[in-house]
Amino acid sequence: MSDHQLRVSKIPRGTVIDHIRAGQALNVLAILGIDGESGETVSVGMNIPSDRMGHKDIVKVEDRELSQDEVDVLSLIAPEATINIIREYEVAEKQYLERPERVVGVLSCPNHNCITNADEPVETKFDVLDDGVRCEYCDTIVREDLAAHIAVE
Amino acid sequence: MRDDHLITAKQLSREDVESVLDRAAEFDADPAAFGDRHEDAILGLCFFEPSTRTKMSFETAIKRLGGDTVDMGTVESSSVKKGESLADTARVIEGYADALVLRHPSQGAAKMVGEFVDVPLLNAGDGAGHHPTQTLLDLYTIRENAGLDDLTIGIMGDLKYGRTVHSLAHALTNFDADQHFVSPESLKLPRSVRYDLHEEGAMVREHTELEEILPSLDVLYVTRIQRERFPDENEYQEVAGEYGIDLETLGPAKDDLTVMHPLPRVDEIAPEVDDTDYATYFEQAHNGVPVRMALLDQLLEGDR
Ligand SMILES: [Zn+2]
């Protein structure tokens, strides 16, 4: 089996997240809460040559479709990604990412003095800006390295 | 969330500001004449950090309107010390009061409490976040002394952490006001505030030297450069002197310049300025009562 075949090998059902910006694959796994202990079969390709992007990453998760929350956060760190829902070895749906207006309960606020970092019964809420996100509680704007603020369970 | 909580100055439109200031002027003219307006009203004071003046100013305001206060006391003596959440504390105290005032060290605390309580909530300062009632009394003072339109204002000092500055700058975008920001490089406006001002279409003009703009100013709003913000005492000493004003610094200013300061001051304004017509900071502090009377009157009225 050639390298090429290995990379594109088909899965029976699940999700293929393609055109992830090179270097972001592990962050994508973090968003999906995949740490190798949950039992899913996951394949990761990194730095794969791509006509459109130069290099790209790709993540395939078997037997799993993504929730809207997961898709929303993906759109923040991998805006060019395409999500292919696979059923019976075929692409059943193709989804392009759209930036949401806000993300709730997914990112943690980098401001230690923010009320969302105190022990209070409140979820984080971030408004999505053109070039970052902004905490609705303390107004802190996060532009770089959003993936570092993903609150993974 | 109730729409009559006052969490941030950003909520306030020009009409909102003007209606509070007009009402405040009525109370200001004869503060003792309204003692039967809200005879049964109870205001809950939730101060999670000490602020004697803000608290006294709210107490005075509600008492002038005929009402009274309940006070959770100091944090040390309350159940907060036992680990109760702020959300729970607020939900208990709202059962005792017709409106709540909250001062808390965490940013966003007032917004969160506003999501849990059903009585009107006034944010009296949340960490480095917002302090909208201060902004209203600042605007009242500016309107009385210089007018809010066709205004050139310099805002000087710790612009990074000074929440009064952030709220004021935002509120001023409702008016025809030219805003100049004067601070050491390390204490410039934070990017979230610059973002908001740009969104509002306001010009953000930043300076490191007061001389550059002093002669054009109608109002100079001075804030404390906070020693504790500096990692290094020498660095503090270097900038502190540069951002203090005395009669000599004010030489090139217009005769009718209004000098303001949210107080307490340390050495930003020399005492020799106090006796001049420039000095407006004590008047500014006194304006807290009529302005808070106007706000409380509006909230309690809406509750009937
Ligand atoms: Zn925050």
Side-chain angles (χ1 to χ4, degrees):
Chain A
M1 192 188 277
S2 75
D3 276 1
H4 185 70
Q5 284 171 311
L6 181 67
R7 279 189 216 127
V8 298
S9 67
K10 289 187 166 183
I11 59 174
R13 77 189 68 77
T15 305
V16 175
I17 306 162
D18 197 359
H19 302 109
I20 300 167
R21 202 177 294 167
Q24 293 292 329
L26 294 179
N27 289 327
V28 169
L29 294 181
I31 291 168
L32 304 182
I34 292 170
D35 56 7
E37 285 173 16
S38 38
E40 295 113 324
T41 303
V42 180
S43 333
V44 178
M46 288 183 176
N47 277 319
I48 297 167
S50 152
D51 291 343
R52 205 167 88 200
M53 306 177 68
H55 287 86
K56 67 176 184 182
D57 289 358
I58 187 165
V59 169
K60 299 179 196 179
V61 189
E62 294 192 36
D63 298 321
R64 162 129 176 224
E65 296 184 11
L66 305 187
S67 71
Q68 192 56 47
D69 273 358
E70 290 170 328
V71 172
D72 282 351
V73 184
L74 272 181
S75 72
L76 299 179
I77 68 154
E80 303 92 344
T82 41
I83 296 176
N84 303 289
I85 309 290
I86 311 292
R87 296 179 195 128
E88 306 289 332
Y89 293 98
E90 297 296 332
V91 176
E93 283 172 43
K94 204 175 191 67
Q95 219 182 329
Y96 295 93
L97 294 177
E98 232 174 88
R99 290 164 73 79
E101 279 178 22
R102 67 203 294 236
V103 286
V104 176
V106 189
L107 299 168
S108 61
C109 183
N111 173 5
H112 297 297
N113 197 35
C114 177
I115 194 72
T116 61
N117 288 317
D119 207 5
E120 295 290 337
V122 65
E123 281 193 304
T124 62
K125 300 186 185 80
F126 285 83
D127 290 329
V128 176
L129 313 175
D130 290 341
D131 56 349
V133 296
R134 178 183 214 189
C135 177
E136 289 185 17
Y137 289 90
C138 73
D139 292 334
T140 297
I141 293 177
V142 188
R143 292 211 171 105
E144 299 86 23
D145 205 11
L146 280 186
H149 302 296
I150 294 163
V152 186
E153 299 295 293
Chain B
M1 184 149 54
R2 284 177 72 115
D3 57 9
D4 57 357
H5 290 327
L6 181 56
I7 308 296
T8 151
K10 288 185 221 171
Q11 296 167 240
L12 300 170
S13 69
R14 182 179 176 123
E15 290 68 37
D16 295 334
V17 171
E18 282 174 340
S19 95
V20 173
L21 301 195
D22 289 346
R23 192 79 177 112
E26 290 173 36
F27 290 127
D28 202 5
D30 190 1
F34 300 88
D36 57 357
R37 256 194 89 68
H38 295 285
E39 272 177 330
D40 304 317
I42 304 267
L43 183 63
L45 300 174
C46 311
F47 278 66
F48 288 80
E49 62 179 16
S51 173
T52 313
R53 293 172 216 206
T54 303
K55 193 157 137 181
M56 281 180 72
S57 147
F58 272 110
E59 280 179 316
T60 310
I62 190 72
K63 286 178 179 166
R64 287 279 192 208
L65 293 168
D68 209 339
T69 61
V70 285
D71 187 338
M72 60 172 240
T74 60
V75 170
E76 283 65 33
S77 63
S78 74
S79 54
V80 178
K81 197 76 183 169
K82 299 173 193 136
E84 186 181 56
S85 70
L86 170 59
D88 280 4
T89 308
R91 277 180 287 188
V92 171
I93 298 177
E94 78 163 321
Y96 310 148
D98 302 299
L100 296 182
V101 179
L102 177 74
R103 160 71 66 106
H104 196 276
S106 295
Q107 274 168 274
K111 177 177 161 60
M112 184 199 74
V113 168
E115 291 168 1
F116 285 97
V117 300
D118 287 324
V119 298
L121 174 75
L122 285 164
N123 182 6
D126 56 339
H130 302 282
H131 196 3
T133 66
Q134 175 74 42
T135 296
L136 285 164
L137 76 89
D138 290 343
L139 293 173
Y140 184 79
T141 311
I142 295 170
R143 192 171 81 166
E144 296 279 288
N145 286 277
L148 278 165
D149 283 308
D150 196 16
L151 171 77
T152 304
I153 180 170
I155 302 179
M156 178 170 91
D158 178 355
L159 308 184
K160 185 171 183 186
Y161 298 100
R163 61 187 168 204
T164 59
V165 167
H166 306 162
S167 296
L168 177 63
H170 205 279
L172 282 171
T173 62
N174 285 314
F175 299 89
D176 175 21
D178 262 351
Q179 302 191 54
H180 294 267
F181 299 93
V182 187
S183 74
E185 201 61 37
S186 56
L187 294 175
K188 282 166 65 171
L189 286 175
R191 84 175 159 191
S192 67
V193 176
R194 265 181 293 180
Y195 179 89
D196 281 334
L197 294 179
H198 283 301
E199 286 280 287
E200 294 298 326
M203 288 266 281
V204 178
R205 298 190 191 77
E206 298 181 289
H207 311 263
T208 52
E209 314 286 338
L210 177 62
E211 300 93 86
E212 288 170 19
I213 43 135
L214 180 64
S216 67
L217 298 182
D218 303 308
V219 172
L220 174 60
Y221 190 99
V222 186
T223 67
R224 191 163 67 89
I225 298 224
Q226 301 175 56
R227 188 178 229 138
E228 62 274 17
R229 305 289 185 203
F230 285 81
D232 173 0
E233 176 71 16
N234 286 335
E235 223 175 288
Y236 167 74
Q237 291 300 346
E238 252 171 53
V239 301
E242 299 245 340
Y243 295 89
I245 59 166
D246 54 23
L247 288 181
E248 198 189 326
T249 350
L250 291 176
K254 287 187 190 170
D255 287 343
D256 62 352
L257 172 73
T258 298
V259 175
M260 296 171 65
H261 190 302
L263 303 180
R265 68 174 152 174
V266 185
D267 50 10
E268 304 84 45
I269 303 177
E272 63 186 25
V273 180
D274 297 0
D275 296 329
T276 68
D277 288 340
Y278 299 129
T280 316
Y281 23 95
F282 293 112
E283 177 189 329
Q284 182 187 357
H286 297 160
N287 288 338
V289 172
V291 168
R292 287 175 175 125
M293 284 173 80
L295 275 171
L296 290 169
D297 184 51
Q298 204 175 61
L299 289 179
L300 295 167
E301 196 66 16
D303 229 32
R304 289 199 173 156

